[in-house]
Amino acid sequence: MDTRKRRRNRLIAAVCLTLLLLIILAICLGIIFRSENGASSSEVLKTTIISRCETYLQNNDPGSSESICNTLWMTFTKAFVGQDPCAVPPEAYNQLFQAINNYPSCNRTLFWSKTKAISHKYTQEKKCLETLEDTLLGNVMDGLTWCGKNNSNEIFTSGCPAWTECTMNPVRSFWDRSSGLIAEQTCGAATVMLNGSIPTPFDPNSTFGRIEAKRLKYPLVSGLTVVLVTQTNVTSCENDSLQNLQRVLDQSLTYSCKVVLQSQILDCISDPHMPCGKCW
């Protein structure tokens, strides 16, 4: 009887030990999972943003203080951490844009719609014009995803609402606010590259159509040049969508349009001796 009792006690002890080990394992896995999807993603995002910021400053403003990048990170996170990821309005980033004020000089702003690759290739190589993504904040945030959650201090870089899923998600609101501000700060002659290889080069629902074009105001902005980039020289500046663009613009602006082969722009980019004006 004593032997059976001892065996039973040993069995109970073994079962309890096994359960205890399983509980410990579950807790450890939970901590690891939480780290990978919460704190870890926050650290990765922070490292990426700080690194991009420092690289940008080294290349564009070597004498600036590195504290700018820490300020950028702190004011950036205040806009969305702890918030419903579908309830972050563009104005949530006001403090960020007040702290980091960086816009193209007069006559140097290049807008784009459905021409991101060629527009950025042009600005990066020729240095004549600047897109939003060539500014400090635009450069740092380009291609990144982020969001928070209600009553949480964590930052997420996956599982965030898609651009079209809700209109006030943190990423879309950031770009809407930055697009509005760069348009409002644009001065002198402005340029936009539109895709002339599609039926409607000007899309009123694009960022340029919804936000930027409407905010170009005379006399701060003197005029807008449309560069209609085509694969084959068939698109006309008389396209109906471009007529719609002209109706959206401030009627006091000078408007011009040029159809340009993409190959011509690429040739201009590759020739270091060709002046910017010859690209179109």
Side-chain angles (χ1 to χ4, degrees), residues 11 22 74 84 106 110 112 143 145 166 178 182 191 194 196 201-202 226 261 265-266 273:
L11 178 60
L22 288 173
M74 289 187 292
D84 182 335
C106 288
L110 174 64
W112 58 268
T145 298
C166 52
S178 55
I182 194 173
T191 308
L194 300 180
F202 172 68
V226 173
L261 288 172
I265 297 176
L266 292 174
H273 304 294

Side-chain angles (χ1 to χ4, degrees), residues 69-209:
C69 298
N70 291 322
T71 299
L72 187 158
W73 170 254
M74 289 187 292
T75 52
F76 165 68
T77 57
K78 287 179 182 178
F80 66 92
V81 171
Q83 305 298 315
D84 182 335
C86 277
V88 179
E91 293 73 23
Y93 293 97
N94 281 353
Q95 186 179 353
L96 174 63
F97 286 100
Q98 289 167 1
I100 311 296
N101 193 324
N102 172 237
Y103 301 104
S105 303
C106 288
N107 305 310
R108 289 178 58 86
T109 303
L110 174 64
F111 299 100
W112 58 268
S113 182
K114 298 179 177 62
T115 56
K116 183 176 182 178
I118 187 66
S119 296
H120 288 164
K121 188 173 181 62
Y122 173 79
T123 60
Q124 288 163 13
E125 296 294 331
K126 300 304 284 187
K127 308 296 183 184
C128 306
L129 301 176
E130 298 175 62
T131 65
L132 172 56
E133 292 78 15
D134 294 312
T135 66
L136 175 55
L137 284 172
N139 182 271
V140 167
M141 303 301 175
D142 191 24
L144 299 182
T145 298
W146 63 86
C147 66
K149 289 186 178 179
N150 270 331
N151 305 315
S152 171
N153 290 324
E154 295 183 4
I155 297 174
F156 302 87
T157 56
S158 61
C160 298
W163 185 280
T164 55
E165 190 174 337
C166 52
T167 57
M168 288 198 300
N169 74 67
V171 177
R172 177 170 180 162
S173 288
F174 169 83
W175 289 110
D176 280 359
R177 188 62 180 135
S178 55
S179 296
L181 286 172
I182 194 173
E184 290 168 6
Q185 296 296 324
T186 295
C187 55
T191 308
V192 60
M193 278 193 185
L194 300 180
N195 188 340
S197 297
I198 58 177
T200 55
F202 172 68
D203 178 2
N205 296 315
S206 66
T207 300
F208 178 69

Side-chain angles (χ1 to χ4, degrees), residues 53-62 64-65 68-69 136:
C53 176
E54 291 175 346
T55 299
Y56 182 94
L57 293 177
Q58 289 169 6
N59 293 335
N60 297 277
D61 191 6
S64 59
S65 171
I68 292 175
C69 298
L136 175 55

